[in-house]
Amino acid sequence: MKLFSTKFFPLLQQNRRNHSASGVLLSSLFSNKTQTQTQTQTITQSSPSKALYDRIQTIRDPKISVIPVLDKWVGEGNTVDRRKLHNLVRVMKEFKRFHHALEISQWMTDRCLALSSSDVALRLDLIHRIHGIEHAENYFNNVSNDLKSSSVYGALLSLYTQEASVERAEAIMQKMREMGFATSSFPYNMLINLYIKTGDYDKIDRLMQEMGEKAIPLDKYTVRNRIAAYIAASDLSGMERVLNRVEVDLNFVVDWDLYSLAASGYMKLGLNEKALVMIEKMERLIPPRKNKLAFEFLLTLYASTGMKNELYRVWNKYKPSSYEMNASHACMITCLAKLDDIEGAEKIFEEWESKCTMYDFRVLNRLLVAYCRKGLIEKAESALNKAVEGRKPYASSWNVLAIGYVEQNQMLKAVEMLKRATSVGRGRWLPTSVTLDPCLDFLEGKGDVVGIEDIIKSLKKPLTRDIYHRWLRTCVAAGGSVSEVLDQMELDGFSVDEETEKILKTGQSL
C-alpha cells in the first residue's frame, strides 16, 4: 500500500478546496464568510461591543465558559442588544469556537432577549455541531411556529444533507413545499447536493423538472451541482447538454469555475483534448492577477494534463504578489512534483523562502512530500532540520517524514519522527492512523513498553480503546504491571470489556 497517495495524505490533493459543485454550494450558502468578516470588522472597531468582544476572544479553551464574562459585562452597567450578540455568535462560529458561540446564543434566551428566525437557524447549526442531529431536532420541534421561517427549515434541511439522511431531508422538503417555502433554488440545491452524495441521480432530474415547472431559475450552484452529478455518473453527454444550454442562456453568466469543473470531467475519462478546450475557455475568464483561487485551479488542471510548458507559462503570467504567495507557491510546488520536476519545485520553494515575511511550514511540507514520494527521505529530513533552526515547526512537518519512513519500512526512524511530531503538536493535533498504527504495531511487536508509553502519553486525549489495548498487550507480553493502563482507561471512561479480559487472561497464562 502506498501511503503517499491522495487517499492517505491530504497535502497531495491538487485542489486544496473541494471543487465539486456540492462543495461550492455548501461553502457559498453556509459559510457566510464575507458577511462574517464584515461583522468581525464591525465588532472590533472602537465601540462598547469591542470591549466585550475583546474579553471573550481571549478565552481560547472551549471548556472555559464565557457566561461569567457576559454576566460581568451586564453587571457593570453595560447594555447588550440582540443584533450585536447575533453578530458575536457568528464571529465565534467563523473562528470555529462552536461551544462559545452556542453559550452566547443560549445566554440570549436566558436573558429573555427576543430571538429572530436567523438566531434560531444559527443555533440549530451549532447544536448539531456540538450535540448531534437528535438534539438539533429536539430544539427545532420546541421552537415556536412563529419563528419557523424558511431559513429555519432550510437550516434543518442542511443538517439532514450533512447527515446524508435522504428520508428526513425529503420529508422536510415536502413540508417546505406545503408551507410555500420551496420557492427559490436554495432548498433544491440542498437536495441535489444530497442526491450527489447518495448517487440518486435520477432524483436530480425530477427536481430540476420541478424547478422548471415552478419557473424557479437555475442559479450557478444548481448548474454546478448538476454537472458534478453527470461527472460522477460518467455521463458526459448530460454534462455537455447542461453546459451548452447555459452558454447560450443570456440570463446566465458562465464563470471560470464551471469550465474548470467540466475540464475535470473530461480528464476523468481521459479526454484531454476536450479538457484543454475547457481550460482555455476558463483562462479567458480569469482577470489577470485578481483571482488567486482560479489561478491555483488553472495550475492544477495544466499539471493534470502533463503540459509542463503551459504550467510554467501560467505561473509566469499570473504569479501572485508577495502577500498572496504562500498558497500559490505551495500549489505550484505540488504541481511540479506531480510532473516529476523536483528541481523546478526546489526553485519555486527557494523563491518563496527568499521573499516570505513569515515562514509557513505548510509550504515546506509540499516539498517534503515531493521528496518522500521520490524516495528522497534523507533529503527531506535535511531540509526540515535546516528549516527548524530558530523556528518552531508544525507537527505535520515531522509527520510527513514519519509517513516517508513508514513507506520505506524504516520503523525506528518513523517512530523518532512521530515522537517529534507529538512533541510540538498544537491544540488537538493528533497523528493519523497512517503513521500511528504502524509505529504502535512496530513497538508492540518489539515488546517495547517504554517506547509505546512515550508515544501514548504524548498523545492528546481522549485516547481510543484500541490504543489502550495496544498498550495493555505490550505490558502483558513484557510481564510488566498493567495497573497504570487500567487506571488510565477507567479515568477516560473505558470499562473492562471482553477484549480487555482476553488480554489480561493471556498474561495470566504466560
Side-chain angles (χ1 to χ4, degrees):
M1 177 179 68
K2 293 293 184 182
L3 300 182
F4 282 102
S5 65
T6 54
K7 180 178 180 181
F8 291 104
F9 201 53
L11 282 175
L12 294 180
Q13 294 178 5
Q14 301 299 308
N15 291 347
R16 294 179 300 106
R17 301 168 176 86
N18 179 4
H19 192 55
S20 69
S22 57
V24 173
L25 173 65
L26 287 175
S27 63
S28 299
L29 293 182
F30 290 99
S31 68
N32 295 314
K33 189 169 184 179
T34 301
Q35 180 183 1
T36 306
Q37 286 174 340
T38 302
Q39 291 161 344
T40 304
Q41 292 168 358
T42 301
I43 287 175
T44 53
Q45 291 170 353
S46 179
S47 66
S49 61
K50 176 183 182 299
L52 177 59
Y53 170 80
D54 286 343
R55 295 184 190 185
I56 288 177
Q57 67 91 19
T58 58
I59 303 175
R60 303 292 184 182
D61 189 343
K63 296 179 182 178
I64 299 177
S65 174
V66 297
I67 297 301
V69 177
L70 294 165
D71 289 340
K72 184 178 179 182
W73 174 262
V74 174
E76 292 172 352
N78 297 302
T79 60
V80 291
D81 62 62
R82 188 203 63 77
R83 181 181 59 82
K84 290 180 179 179
L85 287 173
H86 177 85
N87 289 346
L88 186 56
V89 172
R90 283 197 173 278
V91 170
M92 291 295 105
K93 178 187 173 184
E94 177 71 12
F95 291 156
K96 301 188 185 303
R97 292 173 56 176
F98 304 121
H99 285 83
H100 290 160
L102 182 57
E103 277 193 328
I104 298 169
S105 176
Q106 292 172 332
W107 186 84
M108 292 168 65
T109 301
D110 295 339
R111 285 280 170 169
C112 299
L113 292 174
L115 298 184
S116 67
S117 293
S118 60
D119 292 319
V120 173
L122 184 53
R123 187 184 296 184
L124 196 62
D125 177 69
L126 292 169
I127 292 173
H128 174 250
R129 289 175 183 273
I130 297 171
H131 301 298
I133 191 64
E134 290 185 4
H135 285 80
E137 287 176 324
N138 289 338
Y139 174 68
F140 175 84
N141 291 334
N142 289 313
V143 168
S144 166
N145 288 332
D146 294 339
L147 289 174
K148 287 182 179 177
S149 65
S150 60
S151 63
V152 174
Y153 274 95
L156 185 60
L157 179 60
S158 172
L159 302 188
Y160 288 146
T161 299
Q162 295 171 47
E163 294 283 333
S165 178
V166 174
E167 184 176 342
R168 288 185 288 185
E170 290 177 339
I172 285 296
M173 181 63 172
Q174 182 57 35
K175 184 70 173 178
M176 293 180 73
R177 291 186 182 104
E178 294 169 0
M179 298 183 69
F181 291 157
T183 57
S184 71
S185 61
F186 172 79
Y188 291 92
N189 288 337
M190 283 286 96
L191 273 188
I192 291 172
N193 179 56
L194 173 59
Y195 293 147
I196 290 174
K197 286 183 179 180
T198 59
D200 294 325
Y201 304 121
D202 291 342
K203 291 184 177 181
I204 297 177
D205 289 329
R206 291 198 292 271
L207 276 180
M208 294 191 70
Q209 180 180 350
E210 181 181 332
M211 291 177 71
E213 292 170 353
K214 291 184 175 181
I216 298 174
L218 302 181
D219 62 19
K220 58 185 179 181
Y221 307 113
T222 314
V223 172
R224 289 170 189 161
N225 271 342
R226 193 63 193 99
I227 287 179
Y230 280 130
I231 292 172
S234 298
D235 184 353
L236 291 187
S237 63
M239 181 192 81
E240 290 171 340
R241 188 167 59 251
V242 174
L243 194 59
N244 292 336
R245 173 184 170 185
V246 297
E247 282 184 320
V248 298
D249 187 343
L250 298 178
N251 296 317
F252 190 91
V253 178
V254 180
D255 294 331
W256 65 264
D257 49 351
L258 200 61
Y259 287 124
S260 174
L261 191 60
S264 299
Y266 283 126
M267 283 191 286
K268 176 186 175 183
L269 295 183
L271 301 174
N272 279 7
E273 289 188 7
K274 286 192 172 184
L276 284 171
V277 173
M278 296 295 104
I279 295 172
E280 289 167 1
K281 288 185 176 183
M282 171 190 173
E283 187 173 354
R284 287 197 291 269
L285 294 177
I286 299 176
R289 303 181 185 277
K290 291 184 179 179
N291 194 315
K292 183 168 65 71
L293 179 60
F295 167 54
E296 292 167 18
F297 273 112
L298 195 58
L299 291 176
T300 298
L301 289 168
Y302 273 124
S304 296
T305 65
M307 301 178 69
K308 187 162 67 173
N309 289 338
E310 285 297 292
L311 180 64
Y312 275 111
R313 178 189 64 78
V314 170
W315 173 257
N316 291 324
K317 181 177 180 180
Y318 298 103
K319 186 164 58 173
S321 56
S322 58
Y323 70 91
E324 299 173 313
M325 60 193 297
N326 287 6
S328 295
H329 279 70
C331 179
M332 184 61 172
I333 289 169
T334 299
C335 288
L336 290 171
K338 183 174 184 177
L339 300 178
D340 289 328
D341 187 358
I342 296 297
E343 183 179 345
E346 289 173 330
K347 289 180 180 178
I348 296 296
F349 175 76
E350 290 166 2
E351 176 186 304
W352 168 81
E353 195 173 37
S354 68
K355 296 180 180 179
C356 70
T357 56
M358 182 176 294
Y359 203 94
D360 189 339
F361 276 89
R362 290 172 296 185
V363 181
L364 173 63
N365 284 355
R366 299 297 183 98
L367 185 60
L368 298 181
V369 171
Y371 283 148
C372 291
R373 292 187 72 189
K374 295 292 289 184
L376 304 172
I377 186 68
E378 291 80 9
K379 195 169 186 178
E381 186 173 352
S382 175
L384 181 53
N385 284 331
K386 178 183 176 183
V388 299
E389 294 176 3
R391 304 184 183 100
K392 186 175 181 180
Y394 292 170
S396 58
S397 300
W398 294 115
N399 196 51
V400 171
L401 298 189
I403 295 176
Y405 280 119
V406 168
E407 178 76 17
Q408 294 192 3
N409 201 31
Q410 297 187 45
M411 295 310 301
L412 283 174
K413 291 291 292 184
V415 169
E416 178 190 342
M417 296 301 113
L418 178 59
K419 287 182 178 179
R420 291 191 185 187
T422 57
S423 70
V424 299
R426 297 180 175 91
R428 293 182 173 273
W429 183 88
L430 280 172
T432 66
S433 59
V434 176
T435 47
L436 184 60
D437 288 355
C439 288
L440 292 180
D441 287 342
F442 171 73
L443 293 170
E444 183 181 342
K446 286 184 61 180
D448 187 347
V449 176
V450 174
I452 207 166
E453 285 181 350
D454 285 346
I455 289 182
I456 289 176
K457 289 180 179 179
S458 70
L459 297 175
K460 307 293 189 298
K461 292 190 176 183
L463 302 178
T464 65
R465 183 182 290 275
D466 176 67
I467 289 177
Y468 276 120
H469 281 169
R470 289 173 183 272
W471 186 6
L472 190 62
R473 284 195 300 268
T474 307
C475 290
V476 168
S481 171
V482 299
S483 58
E484 182 182 3
V485 185
L486 295 174
D487 289 344
Q488 286 296 325
M489 286 182 66
E490 185 177 357
L491 286 173
D492 283 349
F494 291 112
S495 59
V496 175
D497 65 2
E498 184 178 345
E499 179 64 19
T500 312
E501 292 281 9
K502 183 179 177 181
I503 296 170
L504 294 173
K505 288 178 181 178
T506 301
Q508 294 171 1
S509 64
L510 293 177

